Structures are given as C-alpha cells and as structure tokens.
C-alpha cells in the first residue's frame, strides 16, 4: 500500500471511529431514558385478572393391565385405583378443572410413560392413586411426596445423572404442602386412621416437574379396609376427600398471590 493511500485511510477511519463511539453513547443514553420512564410508569393489573395457581390435574391410577398391584382374593388394586381416579376426574371437571388420566382403562402404562405424559402438561399438579400392602395389620391412609424431584432433559439425560435438571425448591415444598392438605382431607372424610405424610422417592412423583403426590387409600391386607373399599360409597368418599385437599391447596396458593389494586403502581 502506498504512503498516500495509507494516509487517506487514516483520515477516513478517524472520523468513522469517533462517529461509531458517539452513536454507541447516544444509544446507551436513550436506552437509560426509556428504562427510567418504564420504571416510573404505573403498571395496572385489574383485580379480575389474578392468575389461577393451576388449571389442570394429572390423575394417575396405579398399576393396570398385567400389573394388578396388590391382590386380596378377587379385589385387585388396579381396579380400585381406576375407579377412584375416574370418580375424582368427574368431581374436578364439575369444579372447572381440566384433567388427564394416565390410563383410562385396564391397560399397562410404564412408570416412565406416566411421568412423561405429566411433564408435557403446564400449570398442573400430579396425583397418583394406590392402595397398600403390608405384612402387619396396618390400616389407614397415607400420602407421599418426593424429597427430590428430578426431571431428565432427554433420553440420554435419564441415564446420565449429571445431565439431569432438578426443579426449584419451591416445587418440592409445594408437593409437601399438597400432600398435607390431601392427607388431612382423607382423614376427615373417611374417618380412616391418619398415617401422615412421608417423603419417598417413588418414580412417578420423583420424576414429575409439577407438585406431585402419591396417595395410599387403604390396605388390601386389612379386612376392615377391604370391606370398606369394596363399597362404591366409600370409594366416592376417597375421591371427594382428594378433591377437597386439592381445592384447599389451590385456595391457599391463590391467597398467597400479591394483590395489586387497579391503577396503583407496581412496586
């Protein structure tokens, strides 16, 4: 490059560089002014637009198909779970909540498929329904939540723990709260022995990204429990109790939302 051409480039490049710097500075000042105006502008949210905590309930009837679950003579756990799940679905529909059954008949659905179906939903909670079996003369109802909820990102992540994503701590606390409300309602409605809530890493609740619980509605190794569970009226009471717990939990979540008066600036 000739000295003259180099000098010409320097004369052009200097002003261009300064112009670029001035343009960047002016853009920065403009953005700051816009941001400041946005912060001062009142943000209005009508009181009627308060968002519902969740609008969908995934109901998981345990077992199914070749997996009968616990058996007491002709009484099969898979039939009891489906019956209570379908009753719960009808109750929730009448209350305006959307529902999804992980199985709607006597078919086998893997635990993984149940969790995946749940994770495809949004603004949801997950309720898995089961009945227990014990070597002792245990009786009553109990409700479980997962102490850790882990959601794999991909098929590969399900085999590689370091690629897994853990939901926020608030989701786990919400699962525990939901378990408490449902367990309390079960004890009140059915007058069954209240065995309480417990943390347990059952696959279907540990691998769901929503608040998730597993309900044990009685023992198929206890004659008194079996006698009650074979009655449609008692299974209806179980469904009503779970519905009561869900709605109480939902009401508390709604009350926790900050109330913003229309026309007042948001802080």
């Amino acid at each position: 490059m000739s000295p003259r051409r180099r000098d010409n480039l320097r004369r052009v490049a200097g002003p261009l560089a300064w112009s670029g710097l001035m343009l960047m500075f002016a853009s920065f000042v403009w953005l700051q002014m816009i941001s400041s105006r946005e912060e001062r502008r009142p943000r209005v949210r009508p009181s009627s637009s308060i968002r519902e905590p969740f609008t969908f309930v995934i109901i998981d009837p345990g077992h199914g198909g070749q997996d009968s679950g616990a058996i007491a003579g002709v009484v099969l756990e898979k039939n009891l779970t489906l019956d209570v799940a379908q009753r719960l679905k009808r109750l929730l529909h009448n209350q305006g909540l959307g529902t999804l059954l992980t199985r709607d008949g006597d078919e086998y659905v893997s635990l993984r498929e149940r969790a995946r179906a749940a994770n495809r939903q949004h603004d949801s909670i997950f309720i898995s329904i089961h009945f227990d079996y014990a070597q002792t003369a245990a009786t009553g109802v109990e409700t479980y939540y997962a102490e850790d909820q882990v959601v794999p990102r991909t098929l590969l992540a399900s085999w590689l723990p370091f690629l897994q994503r853990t939901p926020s701590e608030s989701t786990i606390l919400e699962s525990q709260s939901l378990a408490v409300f449902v367990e309390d309602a079960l004890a009140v409605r059915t007058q069954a022995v209240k065995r309480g809530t417990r943390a347990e890493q059952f696959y279907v609740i540990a691998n769901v990204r929503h608040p998730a619980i597993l309900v044990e509605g009685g023992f198929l190794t206890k004659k008194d429990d079996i006698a009650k569970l074979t009655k449609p009226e008692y299974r209806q009471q179980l469904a009503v109790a779970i519905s009561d717990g869900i709605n109480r939990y939902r009401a508390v979540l709604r009350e926790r939302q900050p109330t913003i008066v229309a026309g007042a600036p948001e802080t």
Side-chain angles (χ1 to χ4, degrees):
M1 181 183 296
S2 68
R4 178 179 293 179
R5 186 175 181 185
R6 188 182 300 112
D7 290 339
N8 288 337
L9 286 175
R10 285 173 181 168
R11 281 195 292 269
V12 173
L16 283 176
W18 279 106
S19 298
L21 286 173
M22 291 299 293
L23 181 60
M24 289 174 61
F25 179 75
S27 299
F28 175 77
V29 172
W30 181 76
L31 287 172
Q32 289 294 106
M33 292 174 62
I34 293 295
S35 176
S36 178
R37 283 201 298 268
E38 286 296 319
E39 288 176 0
R40 290 195 301 268
R41 182 181 298 168
R43 297 179 184 176
V44 179
R45 189 198 306 177
S47 57
S48 61
S49 68
I50 293 177
R51 182 173 174 271
E52 290 295 337
F54 58 88
T55 57
F56 210 81
V57 181
I58 302 122
I59 308 170
D60 176 47
H63 309 284
Q66 67 268 30
D67 177 11
S68 297
I71 301 174
V74 296
V75 179
L76 305 180
E77 181 182 1
K78 68 174 183 177
N79 295 337
L80 294 176
T81 61
L82 182 59
D83 181 82
V84 173
Q86 290 171 333
R87 292 172 186 273
L88 177 60
K89 176 181 178 179
R90 289 192 289 270
L91 288 168
L92 295 176
H93 270 187
N94 291 338
Q95 295 159 9
L97 284 169
T99 59
L100 169 71
L101 290 179
T102 58
R103 68 177 179 95
D104 202 9
D106 186 20
E107 67 265 11
Y108 175 78
V109 181
S110 72
L111 299 178
R112 184 176 178 181
E113 288 173 324
R114 294 169 194 252
R116 289 179 65 183
N119 288 330
R120 285 193 289 267
Q121 303 301 321
H122 301 280
D123 295 325
S124 305
I125 63 171
F126 181 87
I127 312 289
S128 190
I129 300 172
H130 290 257
F131 295 91
D132 219 335
Y133 182 95
Q135 298 295 333
T136 60
T139 185
V141 293
E142 54 193 343
T143 307
Y144 293 89
Y145 60 94
E147 192 169 12
D148 295 298
Q149 289 180 244
V150 179
V151 183
R153 288 184 183 276
T154 62
L155 177 62
L156 177 62
S158 67
W159 296 98
L160 300 175
F162 62 86
L163 292 179
Q164 292 180 343
R165 176 169 58 88
T166 303
S168 66
E169 184 179 347
S170 64
T171 302
I172 297 168
L173 292 175
E174 287 167 12
S175 295
Q176 186 175 3
S177 296
L178 175 59
V180 169
F181 284 120
V182 170
E183 177 71 8
D184 287 347
L186 283 166
V188 170
R189 280 280 182 181
T190 67
Q191 296 298 300
V193 173
K194 182 181 177 181
R195 297 173 61 86
T197 62
R198 302 181 188 182
E200 213 43 82
Q201 290 302 101
F202 294 124
Y203 187 96
V204 287
I205 55 175
N207 288 275
V208 169
R209 65 188 179 95
H210 313 293
I213 63 171
L214 186 147
V215 174
E216 295 281 7
F219 285 79
L220 293 187
T221 46
K222 180 71 173 178
K223 288 183 179 180
D224 291 344
D225 284 12
I226 296 169
K228 290 186 293 185
L229 290 169
T230 54
K231 297 177 181 177
E233 298 81 6
Y234 187 78
R235 297 196 298 274
Q236 180 68 17
Q237 285 302 305
L238 285 173
V240 171
I242 297 171
S243 172
D244 287 347
I246 290 171
N247 282 295
R248 178 59 184 144
Y249 168 73
R250 193 165 183 244
V252 169
L253 289 183
R254 192 183 295 116
E255 290 167 6
R256 289 179 188 168
Q257 293 189 44
T259 302
I260 301 175
V261 179
E266 187 179 57
T267 58

